[in-house]
Amino acid sequence: MTPPGAVTAPPFRADHVGSLLRPPALLAAREQHAAGTLDDAGLRAAEDAAITDVVAVQEEVGLRAATDGEFRRTSWHMDFIYRLGGITRTDEQIRVRMRNASGEGAFTSAGMAVTDHVRLDEPIFADHFRYLADQVTTAVPKLTIPSPSMVYARGGSAVIDRSVYPDLEGFWADLSAAYADEVAALHGLGCRYLQLDDTALAYLNDPAHRAELAAKGDDPETQHLRYIRQINAAIADRPADLRVTTHMCRGNYRSSWAAEGGYDHVAEALFGELAVDGFFCEFDDERSGGFEPLRFVPPGKQVVLGLVTTKSGALEDADALKRRIDEAAKHVPLEQLCLSPQCGFSSTVEGNELTADEQKAKLALIVRVAQDVWGSV
């Protein structure tokens, strides 16, 4: 008999965002490769072995979807963005201010520039997905990629060559078309669960970030509407059997964050207009505000409550999680809710400040709580 809370398609009652802590052997292999003492084939073998192991862990704890932990990436988003046609890596530096309870730091990456028409020259992460799909036995293989918003958010209009795009509408149209091609290619490889990771939408909830956007010449009151339009254009023609979710994060780098604020600024348009099947929402502490913005979630859309933090190894209390799910259910029906960590465990190769055993315990807790609340994962 099917449990009353069972879901037949992603997102699942117990889910996770995507990135996982890189094991020591893989980190050592990456260092050796960077030093020139390990060739490409050796690094690939180390990645393969680590992915095989981490898929088994996800299935062991009872998750119905599994990722490759983003083990072949340095960063959750820049590895993808640099592979888009028309995007050039530069010597300039992207710097995002981060903070945590201990103080401030920064995420840094090589810069980027739009130097030609944006396009998809070849499917991105195709080999990543193929290997993941070959490793799963019970779980649905899930691929995560940065949303179209991130291509603009990481540089803004200043990095777009205006001789290529005298009108930015052309840039946005080409960007969404490139993503549409990527979505079609991934579906052709067998991908049926795709997640678009997005910090741009979440950052807009922070007045300080809206002020920074205004200083760059953008309109912080309407920028989220632009992002929503372009994501919708990218996924408009997706096949009916491809489930697409988005994950919205306020920054996640070595247990630090970049932004604060509830979802109020973007909620009505985001939940009402973004044409995804589910929303992974960060709710692990007071930085994310309350559940009230969920009142804008329409019927038929799932909200994955990110109640379990990836920023520390302390294990949450199961009953406390259930009480918070009950609070959220006052604003959106319980049958539209799911449970996950608030973000990935390792958005960059460095990872957050917890151990692999603590990571596994958190994933197992999510499965147990989902089983108790919905009778299914």
Side-chain angles (χ1 to χ4, degrees):
M1 180 177 177
T2 302
V7 291
T8 58
F12 297 110
R13 295 299 186 196
D15 218 315
H16 77 97
V17 170
S19 68
L20 297 164
L21 295 171
R22 276 61 159 178
L26 178 55
L27 292 173
R30 291 181 67 99
E31 290 181 2
Q32 293 162 15
H33 184 261
T37 58
L38 183 68
D39 62 13
D40 291 347
L43 177 60
R44 171 67 62 160
E47 292 170 343
D48 289 352
I51 291 167
T52 298
D53 289 345
V54 84
V55 168
V57 169
Q58 292 169 79
E59 293 186 335
E60 177 189 341
V61 300
L63 290 166
R64 291 176 62 189
T67 73
D68 66 0
E70 301 177 5
F71 281 2
R72 303 193 198 275
R73 307 184 209 180
T74 297
S75 158
W76 64 275
H77 61 319
M78 297 310 296
D79 293 59
F80 181 96
I81 291 172
Y82 292 139
R83 290 179 60 178
L84 284 167
I87 305 291
T88 303
R89 187 192 300 246
T90 72
D91 293 332
E92 300 294 323
Q93 191 176 76
I94 294 171
R95 187 178 188 277
V96 180
R97 186 170 65 92
M98 310 293 292
R99 55 193 182 275
N100 59 26
S102 302
E104 292 195 2
F107 163 77
T108 59
S109 173
M112 54 161 283
V114 179
T115 57
D116 200 349
H117 290 281
V118 178
R119 61 196 180 276
L120 187 73
D121 289 331
E122 61 180 5
I124 302 171
F125 296 163
D127 53 339
H128 299 199
F129 180 79
R130 287 191 191 98
Y131 189 81
L132 171 64
D134 285 343
Q135 302 312 303
V136 295
T137 58
T138 60
V140 174
K142 170 182 173 178
L143 185 65
T144 63
I145 64 174
S147 78
S149 313
M150 298 310 304
V151 179
Y152 184 82
R154 276 297 174 254
S157 61
V159 304
I160 300 174
D161 187 333
R162 300 311 285 266
S163 70
V164 177
Y165 289 115
D167 181 351
L168 285 184
E169 289 300 326
F171 162 78
W172 287 114
D174 284 352
L175 178 62
S176 287
Y179 264 82
D181 289 343
E182 170 75 358
V183 169
L186 292 173
H187 182 269
L189 293 172
C191 181
R192 298 296 181 267
Y193 188 6
L194 179 66
Q195 181 176 296
L196 303 176
D197 290 325
D198 196 304
T199 62
L201 285 164
Y203 281 18
L204 285 168
N205 293 294
D206 189 326
H209 281 272
R210 293 202 297 275
E212 290 178 10
L213 198 67
K216 294 176 181 178
D218 289 308
D219 180 359
E221 300 306 312
T222 62
Q223 191 67 21
H224 64 297
L225 303 179
R226 164 64 79 178
Y227 292 155
I228 290 167
R229 285 200 302 274
Q230 299 312 139
I231 296 171
N232 284 347
I235 63 175
D237 295 327
R238 72 186 186 275
D241 62 346
L242 174 61
R243 298 285 286 186
V244 178
T245 61
T246 190
H247 167 247
M248 293 162 291
C249 170
R250 293 162 182 78
N252 183 57
Y253 171 64
R254 305 183 77 167
S255 295
S256 300
W257 60 87
E260 300 180 1
Y263 293 94
D264 305 79
H265 180 74
V266 303
E268 187 169 7
L270 173 74
F271 295 128
E273 298 176 20
L274 189 60
V276 295
D277 300 298
F279 303 90
F280 281 75
C281 295
E282 192 174 41
F283 280 117
D284 63 323
D285 61 25
E286 63 278 359
R287 290 181 307 109
S288 303
F291 296 123
E292 292 81 5
L294 297 181
R295 69 187 184 276
F296 294 112
V297 177
K301 299 294 182 80
Q302 299 297 111
V303 175
V304 188
L305 299 172
L307 303 179
V308 173
T309 192
T310 65
K311 290 182 167 60
S312 77
L315 192 63
E316 287 78 1
D317 177 74
D319 288 335
L321 292 177
K322 293 173 188 176
R323 287 192 293 271
R324 295 208 69 200
I325 293 170
D326 287 341
E327 292 172 18
K330 296 175 183 177
H331 304 283
V332 64
L334 181 63
E335 60 267 24
Q336 289 179 245
L337 296 175
C338 306
L339 178 64
S340 77
Q342 112 283 348
C343 198
F345 290 90
S346 189
S347 295
T348 64
V349 69
E350 294 89 353
N352 284 351
E353 295 176 0
L354 73 166
T355 68
D357 286 342
E358 290 169 337
Q359 171 183 263
K360 183 177 179 181
K362 285 176 179 277
L363 294 175
L365 174 64
I366 288 165
V367 171
R368 291 198 304 274
V369 170
Q371 186 68 52
D372 289 346
V373 171
W374 293 283
S376 171
V377 297

